[in-house]
Amino acid sequence: MAKKKSKPDSPSGEDSEITVEAAMSELSDIVGLLESGQAPLEESLQQFERGMKLLRRCHAILDAAAGANRTGDSPDRRRLRRNDRL
């Protein structure tokens, strides 16, 4: 398996734009790498940290979707309300 570089930390960058599907796919790759035991310790730790960030991002997306579902609110409705105020 080819080495996969850890992505840089970017709380307001690409991680804030990643979809649940993309995060889950990357998490699957990370789990495969870690389970293989082929990565050096330092890279394994970096990948583990990256996986935890992706997991937190997935939780945030899903929590937001659940909250929007409970309130009848959605990202599209919020966007429309913001546009109405402009």
Side-chain angles (χ1 to χ4, degrees):
M1 181 182 265
K3 284 187 178 183
K4 186 170 182 158
K5 292 288 183 183
S6 178
K7 294 185 180 175
D9 296 343
S10 54
S12 62
E14 72 182 48
D15 283 346
S16 65
E17 299 297 323
I18 195 167
T19 64
V20 171
E21 294 83 3
M24 293 299 290
S25 176
E26 189 175 341
L27 275 167
S28 179
D29 292 343
I30 290 170
V31 168
L33 176 69
L34 295 176
E35 285 180 342
S36 75
Q38 298 300 310
L41 179 60
E42 186 173 327
E43 182 181 352
S44 294
L45 290 172
Q46 290 173 345
Q47 290 298 315
F48 176 81
E49 290 171 2
R50 173 70 181 156
M52 292 305 294
K53 288 177 184 174
L54 290 167
L55 184 61
R56 284 191 293 272
R57 176 66 183 148
C58 287
H59 281 256
I61 292 169
L62 295 173
D63 287 347
N69 189 33
R70 281 191 296 270
T71 63
D73 203 5
S74 72
D76 291 332
R77 282 189 180 170
R78 287 191 296 273
R79 192 175 315 112
L80 287 172
R81 283 197 302 268
R82 277 195 306 268
N83 290 339
D84 288 344
R85 286 183 261 166
L86 296 177

